[in-house]
Each structure stands twice: as structure tokens, then as C-alpha cells.
């Protein structure tokens, strides 16, 4: 990390001049990036020596020989790679500040008497001024899926996509988050079999097959309405699950109930790759998971993403283990998957277009195409190689400050140590 930060202070003069020009127009939403290798993350693929014209925060054109209207800042990319802003994974950025300080954590609901509350929506607690946002943004991350964390129930609640441009509201539809398998057994009577029993009762309640005033009801009226929306296909259910046997049961349940699901984690998902592909179920892979850290992950492998993709499964990326404070590792996940057989284009797509599609926001972000928001990153080198870094991030055409509390602390103490 130290070498990386030193390189960030040693930009070439031309690049630094361009960045200074953009800083003076930081509030502008018009921009021309000229002469870039544009990784569109779309069917168009990578376009060499191309220009991207942004007006009003929207990408207006991608091609060669574009001209900028008078007064529009021009950035000379000189062949460097331009990508869409990256996906930060399924995180709690903005709803968790310090994981060890409960007053700053809003991602989990813990109500003992009635813990199953699908109506719980963590986006209502989102703080766009979180200090974690600039830290993630420095690594080219422009959006994340806020995921409800399982606290009092294995049905965690709802989340959604937020962009790191300072806006307070999520974009696109909500997603419902569940956890299945051994990791949730403490919340379901110490048995994963009970998870299916409870889930089936909740489905029956949401479909009016259990009286609302039943003394055995699991859901509130609001919870029934919320779950009913997902059962009717209005939103995706994201299920954290690893064991192949549990994924098989999940696929059967989703087919029976006709719901849209996605798998998160999926350490053993590769064992069911043909079934996942046939059901069109995307997988958010933790591509650093290669150890049997639990009995649900005996089949973990670094080739998980590559095997899934070869079978036709839609692959995106998400990490576990303090994903909010380590969102910068998302590039490492994708790069690791590429190093273990995943095509480079699929690695980039798993950080851009694919999560946007899965989460219902691909009409706005996730690729460099006319009509999309100008959420862009100019890179010093290969974005899937952690030896390289983001030179500049634009969100909605606005140049984001390339600093965070971490870099400010670094610079403060570097300056202090440099004094005689």
C-alpha cells in the first residue's frame, strides 16, 4: 500500500495538469475524455483510441474524433483505460461506520419477539457523508448494494443500490436479503431444515393461506405485503448460501414459487453450474474463497467464477468478512478470478455491468454507453491488477475528490515527519 500511495503522488505532469483543470470545474457535468482505451463493459467491448463525450452528467457519445463544445473540459487520456465506475459489492457502506461501535451500525434488526421482518429497509439509514465512501471511491468504486445483515432472523430485510456521488437516495428497485445454511442455523432452531419450514410458512402467509390474526403468524401485515411483492416478481431475492446441497434446495424453491433469486457467496456453486445456468440464476462470487473454513465450504476453489462462467452462469463479485471497510479488495477478487481462468472481459463485467443488471439499475449505470450516467474511472494501468490505481473518478460527469480521511492522515503525518 505504501508504494501505491507514493505512485499516486508521482503523476506525470500532463496527467496532473489535466486533473487540476478538472478540479476547477468539479461542479461541472460536462466533459470530454479523449484518446482513451474505453472498456465499455457492453457488447461493444473495448474501443481503442476513443473519446467519450459527457453533457449534463450523461454520456452522449462514444467514438473517435469527437469534439467538445466551447468551455467543456478536455482530459487527454493518452491511451489509458477508461472504465465504468466499479461495483463495491454487497456492503454496509453508509449504514455502518465502525463495526465495533453499535451506535454506528444500522444494518441489522434485532427484535426478539418477532424477528422475521422483510419490511425492514436499511436504505432509510444510509448516510452519504460516511467516511467509508471516499475510501472506496479512491479505488474506482462508484456504487454498492446495501445489504441487510442477518441479526434477529435469517430473513434480514431489504436493501438497494446507492451511488457514491453524495446523493442520499438509492436508485432502482429494492432487493430482499436472506441467509441459508449453517451460518443461519442459530436463527432457525439450530437446523437448516427449519429454514425451509419457516420460509414456506412465510410464503403461505404472504399469499393469504394463513389467517392474519393467527397466533402462529410469523409476519406483520407490512411484512406480508413486502414478501408478496417479491413473490410476484417485483424485485430480486439475494440469498447468502454456500453448500451445494442448500443451493439445490434453493433452486427448487425458486422454481416452485417462481421468484427471482441470486446467490451470494456460493462457495460450492460451481458444483451446480449447469442447473444455475438453466435457471438463469446469477452468482455473486467471493473469488478469494478457496479454503474450507466451514463445513458448508468444503468444495471452495479459486476456479469457482471461471467454472460457473464456462457453464453459462452470470457472474458478479461480492466479498464477505468486513466487506464495507475492505471494498478496495473488490478489484483483487475480480483479478484473482481472471488469474484462475475467467476471461478478463468477464472479470470487468462482474464489477460493472453484471451487478447493475442483476440489481435492476443497468438502464442507468454499469457500462459506457450513450444515455447512461457518466460514472467513469480513468486508470493508470490494468484496473484488475492491484499494482495499478485510479487516477480520476467521475460520477454523473463530476470529478470526485481523490482523497479520503486515510490519505489526509497519511499526508499530515508525512509532513510532520518531514520537518527538521
Amino acid at each position: 500500500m505504501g508504494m501505491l500511495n507514493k505512485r499516486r503522488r508521482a503523476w506525470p505532469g500532463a496527467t496532473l495538469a489535466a486533473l487540476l483543470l478538472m478540479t476547477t470545474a468539479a461542479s461541472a457535468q460536462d466533459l470530454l475524455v479523449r484518446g482513451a482505451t474505453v472498456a465499455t463493459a457492453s457488447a461493444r467491448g473495448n474501443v481503442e483510441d476513443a473519446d467519450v463525450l459527457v453533457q449534463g452528467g450523461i454520456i452522449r457519445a462514444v467514438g473517435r474524433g469527437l469534439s467538445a463544445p466551447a468551455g467543456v473540459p478536455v482530459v487527454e487520456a493518452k491511451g489509458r483505460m477508461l472504465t465504468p465506475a466499479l461495483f463495491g459489492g454487497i456492503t454496509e457502506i453508509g449504514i455502518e461506520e465502525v463495526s465495533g461501535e453499535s451506535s454506528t451500525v444500522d444494518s441489522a434488526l434485532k427484535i426478539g419477539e418477532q424477528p422475521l421482518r422483510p419490511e425492514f429497509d436499511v436504505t432509510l439509514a444510509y448516510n452519504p457523508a460516511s467516511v467509508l465512501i471516499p475510501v472506496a471511491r479512491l479505488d474506482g468504486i462508484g456504487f454498492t448494494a446495501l445489504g441487510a445483515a442477518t441479526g434477529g432472523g435469517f430473513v434480514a430485510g431489504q436493501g438497494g443500490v446507492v451511488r457514491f456521488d453524495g446523493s442520499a437516495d438509492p436508485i432502482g428497485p429494492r432487493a430482499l436479503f436472506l441467509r441459508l445454511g449453517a451460518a443461519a442455523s442459530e436463527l432457525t432452531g439450530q437446523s437448516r431444515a427449519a429454514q425451509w419450514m419457516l420460509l414456506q410458512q412465510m410464503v403461505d402467509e404472504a399469499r393469504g393461506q394463513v389467517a392474519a390474526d393467527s397466533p402462529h403468524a410469523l409476519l406483520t401485515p407490512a411484512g406480508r405485503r413486502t414478501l408478496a411483492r417479491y413473490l410476484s416478481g417485483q424485485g430480486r431475492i439475494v440469498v447468502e448460501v454456500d453448500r451445494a446441497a442448500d443451493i439445490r434446495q434453493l433452486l427448487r424453491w425458486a422454481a416452485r414459487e417462481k421468484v427471482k433469486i441470486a446467490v451470494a457467496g456460493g462457495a460450492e456453486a460451481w458444483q451446480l453450474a449447469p442447473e444455475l445456468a438453466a435457471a438463469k440464476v446469477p452468482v455473486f462470487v467471493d473469488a478469494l474463497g478457496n479454503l474450507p473454513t466451514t463445513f458448508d465450504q468444503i468444495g471452495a476453489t479459486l476456479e469457482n467464477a471461471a467454472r460457473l462462467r464456462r457453464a453459462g452462469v452470470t457472474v458478479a463479485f461480492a466479498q464477505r468478512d468486513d466487506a464495507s471497510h475492505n471494498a478496495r479488495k473488490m478489484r483483487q477478487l475480480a483479478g484473482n478470478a481472471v488469474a484462475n481462468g475467467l476471461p478478463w472481459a468477464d472479470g470487468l463485467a462482474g464489477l460493472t455491468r453484471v451487478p447493475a443488471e442483476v440489481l435492476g439499475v443497468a438502464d442507468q449505470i454499469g457500462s459506457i454507453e450513450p444515455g447512461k450516467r457518466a460514472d467513469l474511472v480513468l486508470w493508470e494501468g490494468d484496473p484488475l491488477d492491484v499494482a495499478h490505481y485510479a487516477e480520476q473518478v467521475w460520477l454523473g460527469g463530476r470529478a470526485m475528490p481523490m482523497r479520503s480521511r486515510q490519505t489526509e492522515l497519511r499526508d499530515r503525518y508525512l509532513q510532520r515527519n518531514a520537518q527538521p
Side-chain angles (χ1 to χ4, degrees):
M1 184 60 70
M3 290 181 63
L4 179 59
N5 288 337
K6 288 178 182 177
R7 284 198 300 270
R8 278 185 171 143
R9 293 194 302 274
W11 287 326
T15 303
L16 181 58
L19 297 182
L20 289 174
L21 174 62
M22 289 184 293
T23 301
T24 63
S27 60
Q29 294 182 301
D30 295 349
L31 174 73
L32 178 67
V33 180
R34 186 155 54 199
T37 299
V38 181
T40 67
S42 71
R44 192 174 178 183
N46 291 3
V47 184
E48 303 287 340
D49 191 26
D51 310 331
V52 177
L53 177 63
V54 176
Q55 292 179 300
I58 302 297
I59 298 168
R60 300 301 179 187
V62 180
R64 295 185 177 92
L66 301 181
S67 58
V72 171
V74 177
V75 176
E76 299 292 347
K78 296 186 176 180
R80 295 192 298 280
M81 185 164 286
L82 186 75
T83 71
L86 305 184
F87 176 57
I90 301 170
T91 73
E92 298 162 17
I93 296 174
I95 53 175
E96 172 190 288
E97 206 68 30
V98 181
S99 55
E101 173 51 57
S102 60
S103 66
T104 71
V105 179
D106 295 300
S107 58
L109 179 69
K110 298 180 181 180
I111 300 178
E113 294 79 14
Q114 200 166 18
L116 302 174
R117 303 294 291 270
E119 67 270 37
F120 175 57
D121 183 352
V122 297
T123 66
L124 298 175
Y126 176 62
N127 174 22
S130 168
V131 298
L132 300 186
I133 291 174
V135 174
R137 207 165 51 201
L138 272 176
D139 236 49
I141 295 172
F143 70 109
T144 192
L146 296 181
T150 51
F154 75 105
V155 178
Q158 299 176 93
V161 173
V162 291
R163 295 169 63 241
F164 291 158
D165 64 339
S167 56
D169 298 318
I171 62 172
R174 299 294 186 271
L176 181 64
F177 291 86
L178 277 66
R179 178 183 292 178
L180 296 175
S185 64
E186 290 185 2
L187 308 173
T188 56
Q190 298 295 337
S191 172
R192 73 185 76 216
Q195 295 163 9
W196 299 108
M197 176 188 72
L198 295 171
L199 190 56
Q200 189 58 53
Q201 180 176 335
M202 287 188 288
V203 169
D204 291 344
E205 289 186 28
R207 290 188 166 148
Q209 297 171 11
V210 177
D213 59 355
S214 169
H216 305 294
L218 296 173
L219 300 176
T220 65
R224 290 181 174 216
R225 291 192 299 270
T226 298
L227 185 56
R229 290 202 306 272
Y230 290 95
L231 293 173
S232 65
Q234 300 178 50
R236 193 177 293 275
I237 300 176
V238 180
V239 185
E240 183 182 335
V241 59
D242 285 305
R243 197 175 73 165
D246 298 327
I247 296 172
R248 183 179 294 109
Q249 293 295 342
L250 175 63
L251 290 174
R252 291 172 177 172
W253 176 81
R256 184 172 65 249
E257 304 299 341
K258 296 181 173 55
V259 294
K260 295 191 301 183
I261 63 169
V263 169
E268 295 187 348
W270 62 272
Q271 297 180 17
L272 293 168
E275 292 91 335
L276 287 161
K280 295 182 170 54
V281 172
V283 181
F284 290 91
V285 176
D286 182 352
L288 295 180
N290 71 322
L291 295 175
T293 54
T294 73
F295 282 101
D296 282 14
Q297 301 174 40
I298 296 295
T301 171
L302 292 175
E303 296 180 0
N304 194 4
R307 293 178 183 179
L308 287 167
R309 192 71 196 104
R310 280 197 297 270
V313 179
T314 298
V315 173
F317 297 102
Q319 61 176 316
R320 49 186 118 221
D321 300 330
D322 202 13
S324 302
H325 294 85
N326 289 295
R328 62 183 178 274
K329 290 170 61 178
M330 287 295 292
R331 291 197 297 132
Q332 186 177 357
L333 263 69
N336 201 59
V338 170
N340 286 276
L342 184 72
W344 187 94
D346 287 320
L348 180 66
L351 287 179
T352 53
R353 172 180 51 80
V354 171
E357 289 174 346
V358 172
L359 297 166
V361 294
D363 60 327
Q364 301 182 57
I365 58 176
S367 60
I368 302 179
E369 299 177 274
K372 302 284 183 75
R373 297 191 195 220
D375 291 359
L376 308 169
V377 188
L378 184 64
W379 297 92
E380 171 268 345
D382 185 346
L384 303 189
D385 183 344
V386 294
H388 300 289
Y389 59 89
E391 289 192 346
Q392 183 60 52
V393 176
W394 295 269
L395 296 179
R398 291 186 296 117
M400 296 290 104
M402 298 303 287
R403 63 178 184 272
S404 70
R405 178 168 175 77
Q406 291 181 353
T407 64
E408 289 169 355
L409 288 170
R410 174 204 66 188
D411 292 344
R412 175 192 297 177
Y413 291 106
L414 280 175
Q415 183 179 16
R416 179 176 296 178
N417 291 338
Q419 293 177 353

